[in-house]
Amino acid sequence: MAGDPKYIERSIRPRTCNVYRSQTEEATMASYLQLGPRPSARILAGVRSLPPLPTAPLLPTRALDSTRDAFGRRKAAFRPARRLVLGLGASFWAQSMATSGALGGKSFLASARPSSNVEQVLKNVEWPEQFPFKEEDFQRFDESSDSLFYEAPRFVTHIDDPAIAALTRFYSKVLPPSNSPGVSILDMCSSWVSHYPAGYKQERIVGMGMNEEELKRNSVLTEYIVQDLNVNPKLPFDDNSFDIITNVVSVDYLTKPLDVFKEMSRILKPGGQAILSFSNRCFWTKAISIWTSTGDTDHVMIVGSYFHYAGGFEPPQAVDISPNPGRSDPMYIVYSRKALTA
């Protein structure tokens, strides 16, 4: 992205979300930040210096509803500053969960746990009975048409070269061998490159994305579809059509994730695999609120929850494939298989 002068990289908070904003968005953001008083340095310092949560024991998820209510009350009090200071509400939530005094189990979100624990996050989770997120969690700073935002092609990569190489190595281990008979793959939220191994081929590899010029440039695809999943999450494919679904650094933009994941379950063949990968980079104005206000470990849990509550999937698992922690972009995988039986 550094090679594209139309985009400016910004770091919102360490290890949370490195942001790409256009110059127009920079101006809009600057105007927005002048609309109201900013939290004092004392408040910001207090938020950033919160003591780390213990890795165990953590809050059992049966306490999530009461915690969410308490968080909602606190968030309402700070609503004017909610999008001026990313992570403020999430930090209060994390602090509330840490100081609740409950023992045992595993918290639904564990913001302060180090990313080295990413691979443990989705093991033995006690999921709440109901999907714990609200409509406002999927709102975005920029609610204008995504078709307009993605109208101009961006022939750039959104993660750095080491992260790309790590993802390609992962794909080389888990994707069906090249030219396997009858294999169909869907690259969801695709672009001009899919990061599959060099020379990878299958009889059918479908790209679904927002920009036709980008999709045309993607040489691995055998066909493509332009579709805005935030407008129409219905996937235009028959049941049990695909062996693999991939999605690279785009799950954070889905405003109807459960609808999309239910569709993924429908179109996957029994035993078929969905592989969601993400880093800490995003177009912040288009990423959902719950993503921009939480950290890497939380993102793993959030994506895991989509698999769980969509239904039809085996318990999701997480893999940390970050090539050089602290020195290059982190890279995480959350994946699951469609259950063999309903």
Side-chain angles (χ1 to χ4, degrees):
M1 187 65 75
D4 184 356
K6 294 186 294 184
Y7 286 85
I8 304 170
E9 182 176 354
R10 290 289 182 267
S11 177
I12 294 298
R13 23 182 208 143
R15 293 180 297 147
T16 298
C17 193
N18 293 325
V19 181
Y20 299 122
R21 290 204 293 265
S22 67
Q23 293 173 346
T24 300
E25 291 171 310
E26 286 282 325
T28 301
M29 179 66 71
S31 299
Y32 183 85
L33 292 175
Q34 294 171 4
L35 293 179
R38 303 185 187 187
S40 68
R42 178 182 59 81
I43 294 177
L44 292 180
V47 171
R48 289 172 179 168
S49 62
L50 289 174
L53 294 179
T55 56
L58 295 169
L59 180 68
T61 52
R62 60 176 177 272
L64 179 63
D65 291 340
S66 60
T67 301
R68 199 122 171 56
D69 291 342
F71 171 58
R73 290 192 294 272
R74 293 189 184 198
K75 183 173 64 176
F78 286 86
R79 191 173 299 278
R82 181 172 186 268
R83 290 189 175 180
L84 300 184
V85 185
L86 295 179
L88 185 62
S91 296
F92 277 129
W93 190 4
Q95 186 181 46
S96 173
M97 295 172 78
T99 58
S100 66
L103 300 177
K106 178 176 287 189
S107 65
F108 185 72
L109 288 181
S111 297
R113 280 197 284 180
S115 60
S116 59
N117 285 340
V118 159
E119 297 189 359
Q120 305 301 316
V121 169
L122 294 176
K123 293 185 177 180
N124 303 315
V125 179
E126 297 178 12
W127 299 101
E129 184 176 346
Q130 301 294 326
F131 189 56
F133 300 119
K134 299 181 179 180
E135 183 177 352
E136 67 180 38
D137 292 323
F138 302 99
Q139 295 174 349
R140 303 167 297 171
F141 182 85
D142 178 6
E143 293 288 1
S144 65
S145 171
D146 291 341
S147 295
L148 292 176
F149 184 83
Y150 294 104
E151 183 177 18
R154 297 181 176 98
F155 296 110
V156 296
T157 53
H158 301 288
I159 47 178
D160 63 20
D161 290 343
I164 290 172
L167 179 59
T168 300
R169 284 194 298 272
F170 180 83
Y171 280 153
S172 70
K173 297 176 183 177
V174 301
L175 294 181
S178 195
N179 294 310
S180 295
V183 166
S184 295
I185 296 177
L186 172 63
D187 189 28
M188 185 182 293
C189 303
S190 188
S191 179
W192 68 283
V193 61
S194 296
H195 306 306
Y196 295 168
Y200 190 78
K201 295 180 181 296
Q202 294 296 352
E203 180 179 324
R204 188 188 190 198
I205 301 180
V206 183
M208 173 178 282
M210 291 290 293
N211 185 279
E212 186 171 12
E213 292 303 312
E214 294 179 11
L215 295 170
K216 285 181 179 179
R217 184 81 68 88
N218 192 331
S219 60
V220 77
L221 304 179
T222 60
E223 59 189 276
Y224 67 82
I225 296 173
V226 176
Q227 181 170 324
D228 184 349
L229 293 174
N230 290 338
V231 173
N232 178 20
K234 176 75 173 178
L235 300 179
F237 307 109
D238 293 336
D239 296 358
N240 308 319
S241 296
F242 291 94
D243 300 272
I244 299 285
I245 296 175
T246 57
N247 180 302
V248 180
V249 294
S250 296
V251 67
D252 45 323
Y253 303 121
L254 297 178
T255 61
K256 301 179 176 70
L258 285 192
D259 293 336
V260 172
F261 274 63
K262 287 176 182 178
E263 281 292 285
M264 289 163 54
S265 175
R266 179 183 65 80
I267 68 171
L268 276 173
K269 300 175 184 178
Q273 190 171 36
I275 303 169
L276 284 291
S277 59
F278 50 91
S279 183
N280 63 356
R281 292 184 177 272
C282 65
F283 292 107
W284 176 75
T285 59
K286 284 297 185 179
I288 58 174
S289 175
I290 193 63
W291 195 275
T292 59
S293 59
T294 54
D296 293 348
T297 307
D298 301 327
H299 298 160
V300 170
M301 187 67 83
I302 290 167
V303 178
S305 78
Y306 297 164
F307 279 115
H308 175 79
Y309 291 101
F313 288 101
E314 296 178 354
Q317 300 181 57
V319 180
D320 183 350
I321 62 170
S322 303
N324 305 296
R327 291 178 291 150
S328 63
D329 291 344
M331 203 67 203
Y332 309 107
I333 307 285
V334 176
Y335 66 94
S336 182
R337 292 186 180 276
K338 180 176 179 176
L340 293 174
T341 57

